[in-house]
């Protein structure tokens, strides 16, 4: 996402219910050029995200269903 309070880009994960109401949201990265290119749910109802950071390092993140 690009945002008024984030200099470049960061990764933003948002979960909604079936009506589109936000259940939670979490931002990852330092807001200085991080990008998510792939996103999947996992068998334990968590999430796995892959992408890159501003210096072209690989970004790999695994969360649980509550994004902890």
């Amino acid at each position: 996402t690009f945002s008024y309070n984030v200099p470049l880009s960061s990764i933003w994960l948002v979960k909604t219910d079936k009506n589109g109401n936000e259940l939670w949201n979490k931002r990852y990265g330092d807001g200085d050029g991080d990008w998510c290119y792939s996103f999947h749910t996992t068998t334990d109802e968590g999430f796995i995200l892959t992408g890159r950071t501003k210096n072209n390092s690989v970004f790999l993140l695994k969360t649980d269903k509550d994004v902890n």
Side-chain angles (χ1 to χ4, degrees):
T1 181
F2 290 97
S3 179
Y4 66 91
N5 61 351
V6 178
L8 292 174
S9 61
S10 60
I11 298 162
W12 188 26
L13 185 59
V14 179
K15 184 172 183 177
T16 62
D17 65 16
K18 65 181 180 178
N19 296 316
N21 299 307
E22 182 181 307
L23 300 174
W24 49 253
N25 76 78
K26 177 79 175 181
R27 187 177 71 107
Y28 299 96
D30 61 8
D32 197 20
D34 301 305
W35 296 88
C36 179
Y37 292 118
S38 181
F39 167 88
H40 297 278
T41 55
T42 57
T43 57
D44 63 356
E45 299 180 34
F47 305 94
I48 190 164
L49 296 86
T50 60
R52 70 168 176 85
T53 64
K54 65 183 173 189
N55 57 5
N56 289 323
S57 295
V58 172
F59 182 93
L60 175 63
L61 174 73
K62 166 68 174 84
T63 74
D64 65 15
K65 66 180 181 174
D66 298 315
V67 188
N68 293 313

